[in-house]
Amino acid sequence: MRKILVTGAAGFIGFHLSRRLLAEGNTIVGLDNLNPYYDVRLKQARLGLLEEHEHFRFIRADIADRAAMEGLFAENRFDAVVNLAAQAGVRYSIENPHAYIDSNLVGFLNILEGCRHHGVKHLVFASSSSVYGANTRMPFSVHDNVDHPLSLYAATKKANELTAHAYASLYSLPCTGLRFFTVYGPWGRPDMALFLFTRAILENRPIDVFNEGRMKRDFTYIDDIIEGVVRVLDRIPEPNSAWRGDAPDPSSSFAPYRLYNIGNNRPVDLMDYIEVLERQLGRKAIRNYLPMQAGDVPATCADIDDLMTAVGFKPATPITEGIRRFVAWYREYYAC
């Protein structure tokens, strides 16, 4: 039985990952600060399900609290850490930049220090497709440089990757970064498009459709994300003997460090996504077409060849099934 720290355990991905790891017989310490970025009641409902399991323990703390993190690592011996705690949201980072520095930079450093000083065998951390920023070559590859972020959120996620590499190099701390692509599904985040669209359509309110609807996204169902995380967690990175300093590959290193995309590898037009949701809800959306928002990108698509080679997994849930499951959960949870 492994003892694993999952930060952001009350969040969307952290909740699903904790449930999966508990089902596989692991002991989980779940940490979350329960901040009010979105409805705390949803976070508490997720936690309520996790706390039914005897091998789950919840700690309310902020990863940016250095003393709290030092105490957490000193009191526990974690075999692995999955860091999913972060201030999320591209658009929110433009309005509230300090929240991203505190959580995504200071907090991540505290996690790295805890892992370094307390013998953690593998740190897996959430990055984001947002790091590709101004890159336009599709599909997005972990072998390409990502030096032109378009939002502070993206910049902090790129900084996480760089800082983790420094710790892998200096202290031989095995680190794996996962670039998630537009995750959706039951128990999802209320600030994400699917949740916002569903609520607005059911309440007969307009939905905001940015870039006049000319958007493509590599929507990735939550179960596929979790399968990828679990498989990667079991694959501790080793130094790449073929890595060359005169032709550096950003995805690997002479240190125990790797990066992977986890995406569906099948971009979907936003308008098609909305139409699938309309069919599942049995209602038409009132569409409010708007220009592109600052920090956003018109399209995403994940190259997942490295993920398939490393762990033998490829996300495959079609949006018709994923949206159907989300709508079923939403109607049950909100009794509508």
Side-chain angles (χ1 to χ4, degrees):
M1 181 182 289
R2 293 178 300 177
K3 189 174 188 179
I4 302 171
L5 171 64
V6 176
T7 70
F12 175 32
I13 300 174
F15 160 69
H16 282 279
L17 178 63
S18 296
R19 279 213 300 190
R20 170 69 180 271
L21 292 174
L22 287 166
E24 293 185 352
N26 299 286
T27 293
I28 302 300
V29 174
L31 181 141
D32 206 290
N33 66 358
L34 297 179
N35 72 38
Y37 172 63
Y38 62 79
D39 190 356
V40 174
R41 293 171 298 179
L42 181 60
K43 298 179 182 183
Q44 291 170 333
R46 296 177 185 138
L47 277 178
L49 293 176
L50 293 177
E51 289 177 325
E52 293 175 359
H53 202 292
E54 62 177 326
H55 296 302
F56 178 81
R57 180 164 68 98
F58 175 63
I59 295 176
R60 183 169 183 173
D62 194 319
I63 61 171
D65 184 335
R66 179 175 172 181
M69 290 302 98
E70 288 175 349
L72 174 68
F73 279 92
E75 294 164 10
N76 295 274
R77 178 64 65 179
F78 298 117
D79 297 295
V81 173
V82 183
N83 184 54
L84 300 171
Q87 180 56 61
V90 169
R91 294 159 191 162
Y92 190 70
S93 70
I94 296 171
E95 304 165 14
N96 297 275
H98 291 285
Y100 290 76
I101 301 304
D102 293 342
S103 181
N104 301 9
L105 298 186
V106 175
F108 189 62
L109 176 63
N110 290 337
I111 294 294
L112 284 166
E113 280 288 281
C115 292
R116 167 198 170 192
H117 289 293
H118 296 280
V120 171
K121 300 180 182 71
H122 192 191
L123 168 63
V124 175
F125 63 95
S127 186
S128 168
S129 62
S130 295
V131 301
Y132 289 102
N135 289 28
T136 57
R137 184 167 68 175
M138 298 286 178
F140 291 151
S141 171
V142 289
H143 302 286
D144 293 337
N145 286 318
V146 288
D147 295 329
H148 298 87
L150 297 179
S151 68
L152 179 61
Y153 171 69
T156 62
K157 287 299 184 178
K158 173 64 185 292
N160 286 172
E161 295 177 359
L162 296 174
T163 311
H165 181 269
Y167 271 67
S169 173
L170 288 168
Y171 310 115
S172 297
L173 171 65
C175 294
T176 302
L178 302 177
R179 294 174 178 172
F180 298 141
F181 281 68
T182 316
V183 190
Y184 75 101
W187 295 96
R189 277 174 31 205
D191 64 316
M192 297 290 283
L194 182 57
F195 209 115
L196 292 169
F197 289 170
T198 299
R199 177 167 287 169
I201 292 170
L202 289 175
E203 294 176 357
N204 202 35
R205 292 185 290 105
I207 63 172
D208 290 337
V209 182
F210 294 101
N211 200 33
E212 310 297 331
R214 297 186 296 273
M215 307 274 276
K216 280 181 177 283
R217 284 290 181 271
D218 206 342
F219 296 102
T220 312
Y221 187 64
I222 183 62
D223 289 0
D224 289 332
I225 291 288
I226 299 307
E227 183 66 30
V229 175
V230 169
R231 293 196 187 202
V232 167
L233 183 60
D234 291 334
R235 186 178 180 85
I236 299 176
E238 296 180 353
N240 178 6
S241 60
W243 193 89
R244 293 169 46 195
D246 60 349
D249 175 8
S251 74
S252 66
S253 176
F254 57 87
Y257 174 87
R258 286 301 302 266
L259 292 174
Y260 297 105
N261 288 332
I262 303 186
N264 209 33
N265 191 232
R266 288 177 291 185
V268 174
D269 286 328
L270 179 60
M271 303 308 290
D272 293 340
Y273 195 71
I274 293 170
E275 287 175 6
V276 172
L277 177 59
E278 288 174 329
R279 288 196 296 271
Q280 290 297 325
L281 292 173
R283 299 189 187 188
K284 285 289 186 180
I286 305 167
R287 304 179 190 191
N288 179 33
Y289 292 99
L290 296 168
M292 179 78 82
Q293 282 203 323
D296 216 342
V297 297
T300 64
C301 177
D303 179 336
I304 54 173
D305 287 351
D306 283 34
L307 181 71
M308 290 190 292
T309 299
V311 300
F313 175 68
K314 177 181 179 179
T317 305
I319 60 164
T320 49
E321 178 61 18
I323 291 177
R324 184 192 68 78
R325 295 179 190 175
F326 172 81
V327 169
W329 167 80
Y330 187 96
R331 287 189 180 280
E332 179 181 6
Y333 183 76
Y334 289 103
C336 62

